[in-house]
């Protein structure tokens, strides 16, 4: 799942009546790979020789030696085949009542049915692989391509959601019903039916399914929050309910983290700017208006593909009108001097800044992670530096012991670039609680969102990540000078 697709998912699911989205994270939902030793009923096609023997008996040739002569096969082979057919209840041996009793064979009802379908029903043992969901405690089929190992999550800055309960499932005959439900499609397509689960065939291995977790807060009650999971672009109410039942919010400390970060932005920007912040209701109305115009414009453009020439002329006029209205609504939103910036608006602003900076770009972020500082990020940064844009990045809080090899490589790459370009100020500050983005004279953002690590603090992964966007020229310059001076004068080493 790319950053762009994550942002699209968040944007699509960010509206819930009576709630506001305060943060989101890519997460790994816990599963176990379970190899199950099972007994199944399977449909097995009759071999050619089995079919010929059955048809011979059906035609009245009922003694093994007669069948042998009729088919031109050895008596031993025929006896072996007929013995197998008796064992599978296709044939039944019958003893004659004459002076010299003999054994002959007749078709059973089962044998007649099988002969009409040319397949046999046999019991067999197989090892079947299923996934056990650590939240919903259900068996499921999960494609191997969707399975992530714990180290994959760490490498991609994805938060691991623990299983509730933490232990893997026990496996035995009592799980037969649950396993049968999960395997219904698989066994039906394979013409098999699960009889019973016998037990484990191999050690259970933990893996994760990637998802996006959205944390919402009630608009009326600040202490009421809910977590919702989006898997493969679809909401999963099952996981929402399972997480709530397990008291996942309390166990992960989500509510406490949200409360602690809510006032941090206001402290940085000051009471005067807080007082100027536009009422959130107005912002929401403008956002909905722009979304409505965008959706209408997309619908009109789609209709032009199958429209007649006359209809296309009308649709083009309508599209032009909608485009003007959309520009006006977006301009009205952009012109608000101080406004709340929703969590899902942050990443697009960062990418916009990397593409569109003309004179200066300043970023302050506690953590640097390779999931954000990618080769594409570095290339965009170098393009700006070559154009003469002054770039300043201040980072670092504590010793950052949670960083991994790729994260340290990303930090090293930034240090190397700073040594190469005089217009790049890159310094470790050591106590960077603030998260700031400033682009030219266009805007400044003060936020709880970690610009260079979308996961943020590994010990406190869920925080209220709304920010404040400021377009007042004097305040943008004041914030820029404050942080530029601090970064430039820092003694943080580049070596």
């Amino acid at each position: 799942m790319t950053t762009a697709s994550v942002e699209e998912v968040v944007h699509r699911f960010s509206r819930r009546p009576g709630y506001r989205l305060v943060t989101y994270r890519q997460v790994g939902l816990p599963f176990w790979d379970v190899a199950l030793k099972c007994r199944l009923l399977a449909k097995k096609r009759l071999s050619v020789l089995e079919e010929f023997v059955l048809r011979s008996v059906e035609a009245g040739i009922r003694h093994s030696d007669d069948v042998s002569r009729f088919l031109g096969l050895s008596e031993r082979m025929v006896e072996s085949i007929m013995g197998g057919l008796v064992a599978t209840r296709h044939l039944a041996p019958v003893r004659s009542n004459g002076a010299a009793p003999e054994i002959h064979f007749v078709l059973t009802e089962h044998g007649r049915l099988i002969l009409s379908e040319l397949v046999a029903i046999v019991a067999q043992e197989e090892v079947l692989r299923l996934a056990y969901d650590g939240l919903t405690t259900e068996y499921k089929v999960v494609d191997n391509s969707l399975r992530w190992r714990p180290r994959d999550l760490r490498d991609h800055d994805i938060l691991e959601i623990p299983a509730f309960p933490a232990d893997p499932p026990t496996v035995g005959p009592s799980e037969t019903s649950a396993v049968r439900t999960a395997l219904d499609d698989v066994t039906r397509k394979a013409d098999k039916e699960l009889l019973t689960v016998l037990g484990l065939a191999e050690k259970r291995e933990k893996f994760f399914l990637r998802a996006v977790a959205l944390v919402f807060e009630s608009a009326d009650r600040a202490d009421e929050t809910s977590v919702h999971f989006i898997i493969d672009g679809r909401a999963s109410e099952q996981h929402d309910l399972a997480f709530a039942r397990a008291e996942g919010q309390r166990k992960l400390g989500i509510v406490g983290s949200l409360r602690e970060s809510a006032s941090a932005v206001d402290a940085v920007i000051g009471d005067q700017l807080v007082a100027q912040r536009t009422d959130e209701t107005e912002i929401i109305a403008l956002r909905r208006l722009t979304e409505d115009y965008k959706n209408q414009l997309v619908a009109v453009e789609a209709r032009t593909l199958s429209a007649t020439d006359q209809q296309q002329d009308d649709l083009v006029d309508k599209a032009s009108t909608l485009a003007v209205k959309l520009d006006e609504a977006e301009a009205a939103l952009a012109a608000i001097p101080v406004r709340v910036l929703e969590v899902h608006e942050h990443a697009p602003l960062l990418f916009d800044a990397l593409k569109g900076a003309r004179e200066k770009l300043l970023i302050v972020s506690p953590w640097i992670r390779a999931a954000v500082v990618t080769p594409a990020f570095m290339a965009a940064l170098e393009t700006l530096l070559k154009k003469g844009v002054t770039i300043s990045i201040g980072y670092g809080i504590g010793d950052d012991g949670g960083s991994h090899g790729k994260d340290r490589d990303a930090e090293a790459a930034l240090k190397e670039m700073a040594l190469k370009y005089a217009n790049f100020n890159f310094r470790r500050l050591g106590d960077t609680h603030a998260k700031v983005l400033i682009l030219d004279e266009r805007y400044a953002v003060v936020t709880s969102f970690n610009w260079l690590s979308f996961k943020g603090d590994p010990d406190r992964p869920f925080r209220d990540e709304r920010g404040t966007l400021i377009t007042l020229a004097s305040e943008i310059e004041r914030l820029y000078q404050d942080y530029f001076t601090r970064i430039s004068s820092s003694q943080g080493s580049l070596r």
Side-chain angles (χ1 to χ4, degrees):
M1 187 179 293
T2 65
T3 298
S5 66
V6 170
E7 295 304 319
E8 290 167 3
V9 166
V10 173
H11 184 72
R12 184 151 56 94
F13 290 94
S14 63
R15 304 297 178 209
R16 292 181 66 84
Y19 288 83
R20 69 177 182 87
L21 178 67
V22 291
T23 189
Y24 69 92
R25 280 291 175 272
Q26 279 200 77
V27 298
L29 299 178
F31 283 78
W32 277 277
D33 177 70
V34 184
L36 302 167
K37 187 185 298 181
C38 301
R39 180 172 289 119
L40 303 109
L41 282 181
K43 288 186 178 181
K44 175 187 175 184
R45 291 199 63 82
L46 291 175
S47 70
V48 173
L49 292 181
E50 287 173 327
E51 179 188 351
F52 283 175
V53 169
L54 287 178
R55 292 202 183 281
S56 297
V57 175
E58 182 184 39
I61 308 173
R62 300 185 175 184
H63 293 85
S64 60
D65 53 349
D66 292 335
V67 173
S68 172
R69 286 191 292 273
F70 178 72
L71 296 178
L73 300 173
S74 70
E75 286 189 28
R76 179 174 294 182
M77 178 180 291
V78 170
E79 288 173 355
S80 174
I81 294 171
M82 296 185 84
L85 293 171
V86 169
T88 54
R89 297 183 296 111
H90 298 81
L91 292 178
V94 177
R95 183 183 294 271
S96 65
N97 295 322
E102 293 182 325
I103 299 293
H104 65 273
F105 297 87
V106 296
L107 280 176
T108 64
E109 287 301 318
H110 179 64
R112 294 183 189 281
L113 177 63
I114 294 305
L115 191 56
S116 67
E117 297 179 354
L118 295 181
V119 291
I121 307 297
V122 295
Q124 58 188 40
E125 288 187 9
E126 286 189 27
V127 173
L128 303 176
R129 306 200 80 91
L130 275 181
Y132 181 83
D133 192 321
L135 283 186
T136 66
T137 64
E138 295 177 331
Y139 288 94
K140 299 177 180 178
V141 177
V142 177
D143 190 87
N144 286 338
S145 64
L146 301 177
R147 301 181 178 203
W148 284 59
R149 298 167 299 178
R151 72 179 185 186
D152 295 329
L153 299 188
R154 291 193 296 270
D155 289 346
H156 290 80
D157 235 4
I158 297 173
L159 177 69
E160 177 181 325
I161 298 294
F164 303 119
D167 296 328
T170 57
V171 177
S174 61
E175 277 69 52
T176 298
S177 178
V179 170
R180 182 182 290 115
T181 300
L183 284 172
D184 185 50
D185 286 343
V186 176
T187 53
R188 186 170 58 250
K189 291 175 182 176
D191 283 333
K192 296 180 181 180
E193 180 182 349
L194 177 66
L195 288 178
T196 186
V197 173
L198 301 175
L200 276 174
E202 300 173 14
K203 182 181 177 181
R204 294 156 298 194
E205 297 289 342
K206 198 170 188 180
F207 71 92
F208 295 88
L209 181 63
R210 213 159 35 141
V212 178
L214 308 179
V215 181
F216 289 87
E217 182 180 75
S218 171
D220 301 321
R221 295 184 55 186
D223 61 342
E224 183 182 322
T225 58
S226 60
V227 180
H228 302 268
F229 296 96
I230 313 300
I231 305 172
D232 195 23
R234 292 185 292 272
S236 177
E237 187 176 348
Q238 274 187 311
H239 288 89
D240 301 348
L241 294 174
F243 188 77
R245 282 195 301 267
E247 299 184 34
Q249 291 191 58
R250 179 183 62 78
K251 292 174 182 175
L252 292 182
I254 292 176
V255 176
S257 296
L258 296 179
R259 298 283 72 75
E260 288 183 13
S261 59
S263 61
V265 171
D266 293 355
V268 172
I269 66 176
D271 293 341
Q272 187 175 356
L273 281 180
V274 170
Q276 295 182 59
R277 198 155 49 200
T278 300
D279 183 76
E280 193 170 345
T281 304
E282 181 181 338
I283 303 298
I284 292 173
L286 274 173
R287 285 199 191 97
R288 288 178 177 171
L289 189 62
T290 58
E291 286 302 310
D292 185 46
Y293 287 145
K294 285 179 182 177
N295 292 336
Q296 288 186 56
L297 192 56
V298 169
V300 169
E301 290 173 347
R303 287 169 56 191
T304 60
L305 298 176
S306 58
T308 64
D309 291 343
Q310 179 59 46
Q311 289 173 331
Q312 284 190 350
D313 291 339
D314 295 338
L315 290 171
V316 167
D317 291 340
K318 188 171 184 178
S320 299
T321 301
L322 286 170
V324 171
K325 290 182 177 180
L326 175 59
D327 289 343
E328 291 173 349
E330 290 180 332
L333 188 62
I336 295 174
V338 185
R339 72 171 178 90
V340 170
L341 191 71
E342 296 292 346
V343 59
H344 60 275
E345 295 182 279
H346 285 75
L349 274 184
L350 174 62
F351 299 138
D352 173 65
L354 287 171
K355 291 180 181 179
R358 296 187 298 271
E359 297 179 3
K360 56 191 179 187
L361 171 63
L362 183 144
I363 302 172
V364 179
S365 180
W367 295 276
I368 291 176
R369 296 289 183 261
V372 178
V373 183
T374 61
F377 179 99
M378 296 297 297
L381 211 63
E382 187 163 24
T383 297
L384 294 179
L385 291 168
K386 288 179 178 179
K387 291 180 179 179
V389 175
T390 298
I391 298 177
S392 304
I393 295 180
Y395 74 102
I397 183 168
D399 60 5
D400 198 14
S403 64
H404 302 287
K406 290 184 179 180
D407 302 329
R408 290 191 287 271
D409 290 344
E411 182 180 339
L414 287 168
K415 289 180 179 180
E416 184 177 346
M417 189 172 289
L419 292 171
K420 182 178 178 181
Y421 293 94
N423 53 329
F424 185 14
N425 300 310
F426 179 68
R427 289 291 188 275
R428 180 178 179 84
L429 304 180
D431 60 349
T432 311
H433 292 279
K435 295 92 176 175
V436 180
L437 174 68
I438 301 175
L439 174 62
D440 298 325
E441 288 77 31
R442 291 167 56 188
Y443 57 75
V445 178
V446 181
T447 180
S448 297
F449 184 87
N450 294 275
W451 296 106
L452 302 183
S453 169
F454 294 167
K455 179 180 175 182
D457 183 348
D459 298 320
R460 307 186 66 80
F462 287 100
R463 303 176 66 86
D464 185 341
E465 291 186 332
R466 294 193 309 167
T468 296
L469 186 143
I470 303 160
T471 58
L472 294 170
S474 59
E475 292 299 328
I476 295 171
E477 183 61 21
R478 178 183 69 81
L479 288 167
Y480 180 81
Q481 289 302 328
D482 285 350
Y483 285 101
F484 178 78
T485 299
R486 187 176 174 200
I487 294 171
S488 298
S489 61
S490 172
Q491 299 303 309
S493 175
L494 285 179
R495 291 178 296 173

PDB file of all heavy atoms in Angstrom, residues 84-109:
ATOM      1  N   GLY A  84     -10.120 -53.830  -4.001  1.00  0.00           N
ATOM      2  CA  GLY A  84     -10.180 -52.398  -3.705  1.00  0.00           C
ATOM      3  C   GLY A  84     -11.586 -51.852  -3.824  1.00  0.00           C
ATOM      4  O   GLY A  84     -12.014 -51.012  -3.027  1.00  0.00           O
ATOM      5  N   LEU A  85     -12.332 -52.329  -4.825  1.00  0.00           N
ATOM      6  CA  LEU A  85     -13.701 -51.867  -5.036  1.00  0.00           C
ATOM      7  C   LEU A  85     -14.635 -52.360  -3.940  1.00  0.00           C
ATOM      8  O   LEU A  85     -15.609 -51.695  -3.585  1.00  0.00           O
ATOM      9  CB  LEU A  85     -14.206 -52.310  -6.411  1.00  0.00           C
ATOM     10  CG  LEU A  85     -13.500 -51.649  -7.613  1.00  0.00           C
ATOM     11  CD1 LEU A  85     -13.914 -52.323  -8.922  1.00  0.00           C
ATOM     12  CD2 LEU A  85     -13.808 -50.159  -7.657  1.00  0.00           C
ATOM     13  N   VAL A  86     -14.324 -53.517  -3.383  1.00  0.00           N
ATOM     14  CA  VAL A  86     -15.096 -54.003  -2.233  1.00  0.00           C
ATOM     15  C   VAL A  86     -14.812 -53.131  -1.019  1.00  0.00           C
ATOM     16  O   VAL A  86     -15.716 -52.753  -0.267  1.00  0.00           O
ATOM     17  CB  VAL A  86     -14.762 -55.483  -1.936  1.00  0.00           C
ATOM     18  CG1 VAL A  86     -15.353 -55.902  -0.580  1.00  0.00           C
ATOM     19  CG2 VAL A  86     -15.286 -56.388  -3.044  1.00  0.00           C
ATOM     20  N   ALA A  87     -13.520 -52.775  -0.829  1.00  0.00           N
ATOM     21  CA  ALA A  87     -13.137 -51.957   0.328  1.00  0.00           C
ATOM     22  C   ALA A  87     -13.794 -50.582   0.288  1.00  0.00           C
ATOM     23  O   ALA A  87     -14.095 -49.991   1.331  1.00  0.00           O
ATOM     24  CB  ALA A  87     -11.616 -51.810   0.383  1.00  0.00           C
ATOM     25  N   THR A  88     -14.012 -50.058  -0.908  1.00  0.00           N
ATOM     26  CA  THR A  88     -14.648 -48.731  -1.032  1.00  0.00           C
ATOM     27  C   THR A  88     -16.157 -48.831  -1.222  1.00  0.00           C
ATOM     28  O   THR A  88     -16.810 -47.845  -1.573  1.00  0.00           O
ATOM     29  CB  THR A  88     -14.027 -47.963  -2.224  1.00  0.00           C
ATOM     30  OG1 THR A  88     -14.111 -48.760  -3.406  1.00  0.00           O
ATOM     31  CG2 THR A  88     -12.579 -47.590  -1.938  1.00  0.00           C
ATOM     32  N   ARG A  89     -16.724 -50.026  -1.026  1.00  0.00           N
ATOM     33  CA  ARG A  89     -18.168 -50.264  -1.051  1.00  0.00           C
ATOM     34  C   ARG A  89     -18.780 -50.067  -2.435  1.00  0.00           C
ATOM     35  O   ARG A  89     -19.945 -49.782  -2.573  1.00  0.00           O
ATOM     36  CB  ARG A  89     -18.891 -49.365  -0.043  1.00  0.00           C
ATOM     37  CG  ARG A  89     -18.493 -49.629   1.391  1.00  0.00           C
ATOM     38  CD  ARG A  89     -19.270 -48.774   2.388  1.00  0.00           C
ATOM     39  NE  ARG A  89     -18.984 -47.360   2.204  1.00  0.00           N
ATOM     40  CZ  ARG A  89     -19.861 -46.485   1.730  1.00  0.00           C
ATOM     41  NH1 ARG A  89     -21.074 -46.887   1.366  1.00  0.00           N
ATOM     42  NH2 ARG A  89     -19.544 -45.209   1.610  1.00  0.00           N
ATOM     43  N   HIS A  90     -17.974 -50.244  -3.486  1.00  0.00           N
ATOM     44  CA  HIS A  90     -18.516 -50.202  -4.841  1.00  0.00           C
ATOM     45  C   HIS A  90     -19.071 -51.583  -5.247  1.00  0.00           C
ATOM     46  O   HIS A  90     -20.030 -51.676  -6.004  1.00  0.00           O
ATOM     47  CB  HIS A  90     -17.434 -49.769  -5.846  1.00  0.00           C
ATOM     48  CG  HIS A  90     -16.900 -48.390  -5.598  1.00  0.00           C
ATOM     49  ND1 HIS A  90     -15.947 -48.128  -4.657  1.00  0.00           N
ATOM     50  CD2 HIS A  90     -17.194 -47.216  -6.189  1.00  0.00           C
ATOM     51  CE1 HIS A  90     -15.660 -46.838  -4.669  1.00  0.00           C
ATOM     52  NE2 HIS A  90     -16.414 -46.247  -5.598  1.00  0.00           N
ATOM     53  N   LEU A  91     -18.414 -52.637  -4.769  1.00  0.00           N
ATOM     54  CA  LEU A  91     -18.835 -54.016  -5.027  1.00  0.00           C
ATOM     55  C   LEU A  91     -19.110 -54.713  -3.689  1.00  0.00           C
ATOM     56  O   LEU A  91     -18.512 -54.360  -2.662  1.00  0.00           O
ATOM     57  CB  LEU A  91     -17.747 -54.789  -5.780  1.00  0.00           C
ATOM     58  CG  LEU A  91     -17.449 -54.390  -7.231  1.00  0.00           C
ATOM     59  CD1 LEU A  91     -16.311 -55.252  -7.773  1.00  0.00           C
ATOM     60  CD2 LEU A  91     -18.691 -54.533  -8.099  1.00  0.00           C
ATOM     61  N   ALA A  92     -19.972 -55.710  -3.771  1.00  0.00           N
ATOM     62  CA  ALA A  92     -20.241 -56.535  -2.585  1.00  0.00           C
ATOM     63  C   ALA A  92     -20.045 -58.000  -2.958  1.00  0.00           C
ATOM     64  O   ALA A  92     -20.580 -58.461  -3.982  1.00  0.00           O
ATOM     65  CB  ALA A  92     -21.657 -56.296  -2.080  1.00  0.00           C
ATOM     66  N   PRO A  93     -19.268 -58.756  -2.182  1.00  0.00           N
ATOM     67  CA  PRO A  93     -19.085 -60.194  -2.471  1.00  0.00           C
ATOM     68  C   PRO A  93     -20.317 -60.989  -2.013  1.00  0.00           C
ATOM     69  O   PRO A  93     -20.897 -60.705  -0.965  1.00  0.00           O
ATOM     70  CB  PRO A  93     -17.848 -60.562  -1.647  1.00  0.00           C
ATOM     71  CG  PRO A  93     -17.855 -59.581  -0.511  1.00  0.00           C
ATOM     72  CD  PRO A  93     -18.463 -58.312  -1.034  1.00  0.00           C
ATOM     73  N   VAL A  94     -20.718 -61.946  -2.795  1.00  0.00           N
ATOM     74  CA  VAL A  94     -21.885 -62.771  -2.471  1.00  0.00           C
ATOM     75  C   VAL A  94     -21.473 -64.244  -2.587  1.00  0.00           C
ATOM     76  O   VAL A  94     -20.893 -64.654  -3.606  1.00  0.00           O
ATOM     77  CB  VAL A  94     -23.071 -62.466  -3.411  1.00  0.00           C
ATOM     78  CG1 VAL A  94     -24.249 -63.391  -3.089  1.00  0.00           C
ATOM     79  CG2 VAL A  94     -23.475 -61.006  -3.321  1.00  0.00           C
ATOM     80  N   ARG A  95     -21.785 -65.040  -1.556  1.00  0.00           N
ATOM     81  CA  ARG A  95     -21.461 -66.481  -1.581  1.00  0.00           C
ATOM     82  C   ARG A  95     -22.685 -67.246  -2.088  1.00  0.00           C
ATOM     83  O   ARG A  95     -23.787 -67.077  -1.572  1.00  0.00           O
ATOM     84  CB  ARG A  95     -21.084 -66.955  -0.189  1.00  0.00           C
ATOM     85  CG  ARG A  95     -20.652 -68.419  -0.123  1.00  0.00           C
ATOM     86  CD  ARG A  95     -20.358 -68.830   1.317  1.00  0.00           C
ATOM     87  NE  ARG A  95     -19.198 -68.112   1.821  1.00  0.00           N
ATOM     88  CZ  ARG A  95     -17.940 -68.543   1.700  1.00  0.00           C
ATOM     89  NH1 ARG A  95     -17.709 -69.693   1.073  1.00  0.00           N
ATOM     90  NH2 ARG A  95     -16.942 -67.860   2.174  1.00  0.00           N
ATOM     91  N   SER A  96     -22.480 -68.094  -3.089  1.00  0.00           N
ATOM     92  CA  SER A  96     -23.582 -68.912  -3.636  1.00  0.00           C
ATOM     93  C   SER A  96     -23.945 -70.036  -2.670  1.00  0.00           C
ATOM     94  O   SER A  96     -23.136 -70.426  -1.820  1.00  0.00           O
ATOM     95  CB  SER A  96     -23.183 -69.503  -4.993  1.00  0.00           C
ATOM     96  OG  SER A  96     -22.107 -70.403  -4.831  1.00  0.00           O
ATOM     97  N   ASN A  97     -25.160 -70.571  -2.799  1.00  0.00           N
ATOM     98  CA  ASN A  97     -25.637 -71.598  -1.880  1.00  0.00           C
ATOM     99  C   ASN A  97     -25.549 -73.015  -2.473  1.00  0.00           C
ATOM    100  O   ASN A  97     -26.170 -73.949  -1.951  1.00  0.00           O
ATOM    101  CB  ASN A  97     -27.084 -71.313  -1.482  1.00  0.00           C
ATOM    102  CG  ASN A  97     -27.193 -70.024  -0.681  1.00  0.00           C
ATOM    103  OD1 ASN A  97     -26.318 -69.749   0.130  1.00  0.00           O
ATOM    104  ND2 ASN A  97     -28.261 -69.269  -0.914  1.00  0.00           N
ATOM    105  N   GLY A  98     -24.817 -73.183  -3.550  1.00  0.00           N
ATOM    106  CA  GLY A  98     -24.739 -74.483  -4.218  1.00  0.00           C
ATOM    107  C   GLY A  98     -23.884 -75.483  -3.444  1.00  0.00           C
ATOM    108  O   GLY A  98     -23.331 -75.209  -2.384  1.00  0.00           O
ATOM    109  N   ALA A  99     -23.752 -76.694  -4.053  1.00  0.00           N
ATOM    110  CA  ALA A  99     -22.955 -77.754  -3.435  1.00  0.00           C
ATOM    111  C   ALA A  99     -21.501 -77.335  -3.298  1.00  0.00           C
ATOM    112  O   ALA A  99     -20.823 -77.714  -2.348  1.00  0.00           O
ATOM    113  CB  ALA A  99     -23.073 -79.035  -4.267  1.00  0.00           C
ATOM    114  N   ALA A 100     -21.022 -76.550  -4.292  1.00  0.00           N
ATOM    115  CA  ALA A 100     -19.644 -76.032  -4.224  1.00  0.00           C
ATOM    116  C   ALA A 100     -19.727 -74.512  -4.160  1.00  0.00           C
ATOM    117  O   ALA A 100     -19.763 -73.846  -5.201  1.00  0.00           O
ATOM    118  CB  ALA A 100     -18.841 -76.476  -5.436  1.00  0.00           C
ATOM    119  N   PRO A 101     -19.833 -73.941  -2.941  1.00  0.00           N
ATOM    120  CA  PRO A 101     -20.032 -72.493  -2.788  1.00  0.00           C
ATOM    121  C   PRO A 101     -18.949 -71.696  -3.507  1.00  0.00           C
ATOM    122  O   PRO A 101     -17.767 -72.038  -3.449  1.00  0.00           O
ATOM    123  CB  PRO A 101     -19.965 -72.285  -1.271  1.00  0.00           C
ATOM    124  CG  PRO A 101     -20.270 -73.611  -0.675  1.00  0.00           C
ATOM    125  CD  PRO A 101     -19.723 -74.614  -1.633  1.00  0.00           C
ATOM    126  N   GLU A 102     -19.386 -70.657  -4.190  1.00  0.00           N
ATOM    127  CA  GLU A 102     -18.462 -69.772  -4.917  1.00  0.00           C
ATOM    128  C   GLU A 102     -18.751 -68.326  -4.536  1.00  0.00           C
ATOM    129  O   GLU A 102     -19.860 -67.982  -4.112  1.00  0.00           O
ATOM    130  CB  GLU A 102     -18.630 -69.946  -6.429  1.00  0.00           C
ATOM    131  CG  GLU A 102     -18.203 -71.301  -6.950  1.00  0.00           C
ATOM    132  CD  GLU A 102     -18.358 -71.383  -8.469  1.00  0.00           C
ATOM    133  OE1 GLU A 102     -19.335 -70.768  -8.977  1.00  0.00           O
ATOM    134  OE2 GLU A 102     -17.519 -72.011  -9.115  1.00  0.00           O
ATOM    135  N   ILE A 103     -17.720 -67.515  -4.747  1.00  0.00           N
ATOM    136  CA  ILE A 103     -17.860 -66.077  -4.491  1.00  0.00           C
ATOM    137  C   ILE A 103     -18.057 -65.369  -5.822  1.00  0.00           C
ATOM    138  O   ILE A 103     -17.277 -65.556  -6.767  1.00  0.00           O
ATOM    139  CB  ILE A 103     -16.629 -65.497  -3.781  1.00  0.00           C
ATOM    140  CG1 ILE A 103     -16.425 -66.178  -2.427  1.00  0.00           C
ATOM    141  CG2 ILE A 103     -16.769 -63.980  -3.608  1.00  0.00           C
ATOM    142  CD1 ILE A 103     -17.512 -65.877  -1.424  1.00  0.00           C
ATOM    143  N   HIS A 104     -19.127 -64.610  -5.920  1.00  0.00           N
ATOM    144  CA  HIS A 104     -19.269 -63.712  -7.066  1.00  0.00           C
ATOM    145  C   HIS A 104     -19.562 -62.308  -6.533  1.00  0.00           C
ATOM    146  O   HIS A 104     -19.773 -62.109  -5.336  1.00  0.00           O
ATOM    147  CB  HIS A 104     -20.377 -64.200  -8.022  1.00  0.00           C
ATOM    148  CG  HIS A 104     -21.747 -64.167  -7.429  1.00  0.00           C
ATOM    149  ND1 HIS A 104     -22.266 -65.207  -6.682  1.00  0.00           N
ATOM    150  CD2 HIS A 104     -22.717 -63.207  -7.479  1.00  0.00           C
ATOM    151  CE1 HIS A 104     -23.493 -64.901  -6.297  1.00  0.00           C
ATOM    152  NE2 HIS A 104     -23.794 -63.696  -6.760  1.00  0.00           N
ATOM    153  N   PHE A 105     -19.588 -61.356  -7.424  1.00  0.00           N
ATOM    154  CA  PHE A 105     -19.677 -59.956  -7.004  1.00  0.00           C
ATOM    155  C   PHE A 105     -20.876 -59.265  -7.648  1.00  0.00           C
ATOM    156  O   PHE A 105     -21.238 -59.566  -8.801  1.00  0.00           O
ATOM    157  CB  PHE A 105     -18.397 -59.199  -7.384  1.00  0.00           C
ATOM    158  CG  PHE A 105     -17.176 -59.733  -6.698  1.00  0.00           C
ATOM    159  CD1 PHE A 105     -16.452 -60.777  -7.255  1.00  0.00           C
ATOM    160  CD2 PHE A 105     -16.757 -59.209  -5.487  1.00  0.00           C
ATOM    161  CE1 PHE A 105     -15.327 -61.283  -6.618  1.00  0.00           C
ATOM    162  CE2 PHE A 105     -15.628 -59.698  -4.842  1.00  0.00           C
ATOM    163  CZ  PHE A 105     -14.919 -60.748  -5.414  1.00  0.00           C
ATOM    164  N   VAL A 106     -21.444 -58.323  -6.906  1.00  0.00           N
ATOM    165  CA  VAL A 106     -22.555 -57.523  -7.429  1.00  0.00           C
ATOM    166  C   VAL A 106     -22.287 -56.058  -7.127  1.00  0.00           C
ATOM    167  O   VAL A 106     -21.555 -55.702  -6.180  1.00  0.00           O
ATOM    168  CB  VAL A 106     -23.902 -57.950  -6.799  1.00  0.00           C
ATOM    169  CG1 VAL A 106     -24.252 -59.380  -7.168  1.00  0.00           C
ATOM    170  CG2 VAL A 106     -23.874 -57.763  -5.288  1.00  0.00           C
ATOM    171  N   LEU A 107     -22.895 -55.225  -7.929  1.00  0.00           N
ATOM    172  CA  LEU A 107     -22.780 -53.786  -7.687  1.00  0.00           C
ATOM    173  C   LEU A 107     -23.624 -53.382  -6.493  1.00  0.00           C
ATOM    174  O   LEU A 107     -24.768 -53.825  -6.352  1.00  0.00           O
ATOM    175  CB  LEU A 107     -23.260 -53.002  -8.917  1.00  0.00           C
ATOM    176  CG  LEU A 107     -22.314 -52.842 -10.104  1.00  0.00           C
ATOM    177  CD1 LEU A 107     -23.047 -52.130 -11.235  1.00  0.00           C
ATOM    178  CD2 LEU A 107     -21.081 -52.050  -9.713  1.00  0.00           C
ATOM    179  N   THR A 108     -23.070 -52.566  -5.628  1.00  0.00           N
ATOM    180  CA  THR A 108     -23.865 -51.966  -4.554  1.00  0.00           C
ATOM    181  C   THR A 108     -24.598 -50.748  -5.119  1.00  0.00           C
ATOM    182  O   THR A 108     -24.304 -50.268  -6.234  1.00  0.00           O
ATOM    183  CB  THR A 108     -22.967 -51.512  -3.393  1.00  0.00           C
ATOM    184  OG1 THR A 108     -22.098 -50.472  -3.870  1.00  0.00           O
ATOM    185  CG2 THR A 108     -22.140 -52.677  -2.859  1.00  0.00           C
ATOM    186  N   GLU A 109     -25.557 -50.226  -4.330  1.00  0.00           N
ATOM    187  CA  GLU A 109     -26.225 -48.990  -4.744  1.00  0.00           C
ATOM    188  C   GLU A 109     -25.206 -47.865  -4.873  1.00  0.00           C
ATOM    189  O   GLU A 109     -25.273 -47.036  -5.783  1.00  0.00           O
ATOM    190  CB  GLU A 109     -27.327 -48.615  -3.738  1.00  0.00           C
ATOM    191  CG  GLU A 109     -28.552 -49.496  -3.805  1.00  0.00           C
ATOM    192  CD  GLU A 109     -29.196 -49.451  -5.191  1.00  0.00           C
ATOM    193  OE1 GLU A 109     -29.283 -48.334  -5.771  1.00  0.00           O
ATOM    194  OE2 GLU A 109     -29.584 -50.507  -5.707  1.00  0.00           O
TER     195      GLU A 109
END
